[in-house]
Amino acid sequence: MPKVKTNSGAKKRFKLTGSGKIKRKHAYKSHILTKKTTKQKRRLTHSTLVDKSDVPNIKALLRI
């Protein structure tokens, strides 16, 4: 039987915390930054946790 592969896109986007929660970065921080306010860009800088309704889907992608 072949190995089960982790989803490559998901492993680049999500990290596990020490307590087992899934950490993610905010969207809308990669390009077209000139029209976004400094406050908006600053708030998008910080990482946050994945919503609990999305956790099962992401765990399936990461094969956790």
Side-chain angles (χ1 to χ4, degrees), residues 13-28:
R13 288 172 170 79
F14 302 106
K15 300 282 182 220
L16 280 176
T17 62
S19 60
K21 295 176 183 173
I22 302 174
K23 196 164 69 167
R24 68 169 177 91
K25 293 189 177 181
H26 283 282
Y28 308 110

Side-chain angles (χ1 to χ4, degrees), residues 1 4 7 12-16 18-19 24 26-27 30 34-36 44-45 47-48 50 52 55 58 60 62:
M1 197 162 163
V4 179
N7 182 283
K12 296 169 190 171
R13 288 172 170 79
F14 302 106
K15 300 282 182 220
L16 280 176
S19 60
R24 68 169 177 91
H26 283 282
S30 58
T34 52
K35 61 178 75 171
K36 294 171 187 153
L44 292 173
T45 298
S47 58
T48 184
V50 169
K52 65 180 181 179
V55 168
I58 294 168
L62 295 174

Side-chain angles (χ1 to χ4, degrees), residues 4-7 10 22 54-64:
V4 179
K5 293 191 175 180
T6 300
N7 182 283
I22 302 174
D54 296 323
V55 168
N57 290 331
I58 294 168
K59 283 191 173 183
L61 291 172
L62 295 174
R63 309 282 188 230
I64 298 172

